[in-house]
């Protein structure tokens, strides 16, 4: 048992020669009883209220159109996260740079993209063709190729662009915070040993920064997963849009909202488990001994 | 006499309006131990840090084996070197910090092996063998796979010394290597320093350990307010200080 956990049970233990009687905690019992009663009520309500329509729920939960929509949600989350963090790295590096122009550009980007609500931004990207008929790529002020905006940016492209740009602003700040959390002495030691610049960053600074980056990054990722539901305004068939389509047809609003809700909860749970193990990996050396994982604890409990 | 390992000439450094170093001249021959004493704020650490260009000097020159550190001389001007070149020069100078600054996410062995692999591009197996020998030399043969936080302060500092030795540097700089240690751990680190001195390592040590200076130093330097006030063999500087500021400092620490 860890040192921090309170004494359990009421068993009297013999230490040296005196009997030790653990303190009693009557309010702890009262609190537990209250919470259990409330939980029982909630469970009862979920099971007996016909409004939940659990039959409809199970009918749609694994239905093909819902699963397809779920894949779109995952696709948007994954691509948004990868692009967002790829964008966040240069933004963090620029803000920490000694070059005032780079720092100011990064600061402005983060300011703008944190200020504009995601939904507004998405609508802007979807309507880019209204501002610019064609987009050109080429030598500045020289020759180039032009494309029709509406052909180049599909509604899925607009959604991804909006999510990635929005994410990058937050990811940049999270990465910057992580880099700042690394002790100055570590930079100095790496420099004093003559380690090449890249190696200083990738081998010494970044792994230590990850400790501070990960919990916030996981938060951002979970938030992104749910934010993908906003792209329904662009009529993209992701999870939330799809359940709306279905309940628009059959009028079963509550069970279909539950379908989406339960999927979001399951995905967040998976992300949380992943987060636990990744954080554990980067805790090497930061704590004297790593605490056992829940799985290891379970195995130990069974063996006992 | 052959070229000294380290030559410092007219080094000035200021932070804003504060003049930290005001014209330092210092020479260290190969195989000698130089101990720098002085009250806090006298510029000892800044001097040490400017030797490996962790701190950029405002004026003056630092030469390692006759080669200018941090600059290239051409056409009567000094051109600051690119970072890559400076890093190469630093790999020839060991630096031991007051707070160890071991990499907490790497084991003792990985800490020691990091620079020879990454900076000197030596083959891994050879580096790891050498790193194990170095850890054995500082008395930590059984701690190779342990993370720094699982070690005592004295053990961490000994790993840090092994890490500096791994580069086989021309010169090792020690910035108050025992100041962050509990009193009973100071001895084990000083023992390692004495061994290094006896083995002919060229060392510059900033410390408050007068006993160590007396027995291990070839030259003792006393600094105050950014200047070298007095220097000479320990018997002279420690037992017969000529300068009144040296006398008052020694009377306080002895």
């Amino acid at each position: 048992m860890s040192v921090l956990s309170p004494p359990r049970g009421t068993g009297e233990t013999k230490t040296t020669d005196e009997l030790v009687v653990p303190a009693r905690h009557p309010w702890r019992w009262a609190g537990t009883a209250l919470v259990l009663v409330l939980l029982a009520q909630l469970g009862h309500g979920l099971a007996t209220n016909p409004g939940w329509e659990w039959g409809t729920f199970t009918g749609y939960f694994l239905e093909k159109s819902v699963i397809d929509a779920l894949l779109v949600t995952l696709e948007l989350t994954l691509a948004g996260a990868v692009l967002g963090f790829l964008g966040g790295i240069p933004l963090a590096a620029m803000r920490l740079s000694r070059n005032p122009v780079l720092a100011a550009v990064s600061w402005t980007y983060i300011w703008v993209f944190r200020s504009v609500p995601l939904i507004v931004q998405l609508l802007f990207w979807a309507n880019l063709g209204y501002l610019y008929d064609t987009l050109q790529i080429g030598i500045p002020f020289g020759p180039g190729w032009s494309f029709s905006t509406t052909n180049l940016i599909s509604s899925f492209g607009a959604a991804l662009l909006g999510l990635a740009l929005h994410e990058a602003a937050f990811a940049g700040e999270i990465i910057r915070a992580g880099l700042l959390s690394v002790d100055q002495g570590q930079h100095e030691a790496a420099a004093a040993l003559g380690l090449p610049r890249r190696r200083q960053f990738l081998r010494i600074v970044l792994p230590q920064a990850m400790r501070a980056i990960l919990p916030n990054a996981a938060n951002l990722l979970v938030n992104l997963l749910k934010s993908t539901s906003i792209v329904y305004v662009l009529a993209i068939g992701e999870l939330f849009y799809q359940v709306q389509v279905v309940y628009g047809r059959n009028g079963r609003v509550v069970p279909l909202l539950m379908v989406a809700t339960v999927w979001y909860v399951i995905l967040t749970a998976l992300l949380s488990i992943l987060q636990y193990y990744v954080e554990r990996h980067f805790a090497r050396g930061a704590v004297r001994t790593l605490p056992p994982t829940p799985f290891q604890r379970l195995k130990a409990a069974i063996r006992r | 006499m052959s070229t000294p390992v380290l030559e410092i000439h007219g080094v000035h450094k200021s932070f804003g309006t504060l003049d930290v170093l005001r014209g330092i001249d210092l020479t260290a021959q190969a195989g000698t131990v130089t101990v720098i004493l002085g009250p806090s704020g006298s510029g000892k650490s800044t001097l040490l840090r400017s030797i490996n260009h962790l701190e950029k000097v405002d004026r003056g020159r630092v030469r390692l084996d006759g080669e200018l550190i941090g600059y290239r001389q051409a056409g009567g001007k000094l051109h600051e070197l690119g970072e890559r070149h400076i890093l190469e020069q630093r790999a020839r100078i060991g630096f031991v910090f007051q707070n160890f600054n071991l990499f907490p996410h790497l084991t003792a062995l990985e800490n020691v092996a990091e620079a020879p692999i990454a900076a000197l591009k030596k083959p891994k197996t050879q580096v790891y063998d050498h790193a194990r020998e170095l850890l054995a030399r500082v008395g930590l043969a059984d701690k190779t796979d342990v993370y720094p936080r699982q070690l005592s302060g004295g053990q961490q500092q000994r790993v840090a010394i092994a890490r500096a030795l791994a580069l086989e540097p021309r010169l090792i700089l020690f910035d108050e290597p025992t100041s962050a240690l509990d009193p009973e751990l100071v001895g084990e680190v000083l023992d390692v320093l004495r061994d290094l001195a006896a083995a002919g390592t060229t060392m510059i040590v900033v410390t408050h350990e007068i006993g160590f200076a007396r027995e291990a130093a070839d030259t003792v330097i006393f600094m105050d307010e950014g200047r070298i006030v007095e220097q000479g063999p320990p018997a002279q500087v420690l037992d017969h200080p000529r300068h009144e500021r040296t006398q008052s400092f020694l009377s306080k620490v002895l």
Side-chain angles (χ1 to χ4, degrees), chain B residues 165-178:
Chain B
L165 286 171
L167 287 163
E168 296 178 331
R170 291 289 295 147
L171 166 75
I172 306 185
L173 310 171
F174 293 86
D175 189 6
E176 303 202 21
T178 58

Side-chain angles (χ1 to χ4, degrees), chain B residues 22 26 31 40 51 73 82 111 117 123 140 143 153 155 159 167 173 176 192 195 205-206 235:
Chain B
R22 314 187 202 190
L26 193 158
S40 61
I51 291 174
Q73 200 161 17
N111 263 281
I117 292 171
L140 295 171
K143 301 287 185 191
Q155 291 171 330
V159 173
L167 287 163
L173 310 171
E176 303 202 21
V192 172
D195 287 349
V205 186
V206 169

Side-chain angles (χ1 to χ4, degrees), chain B residues 30-33 137 165 169-172 195-203:
Chain B
T32 61
V33 177
R137 187 170 164 194
L165 286 171
R170 291 289 295 147
L171 166 75
I172 306 185
D195 287 349
L196 293 181
T201 315
T202 314
M203 300 160 58

Side-chain angles (χ1 to χ4, degrees), chain B residues 12 47 78:
Chain B
H12 285 256
L47 174 61
L78 290 184

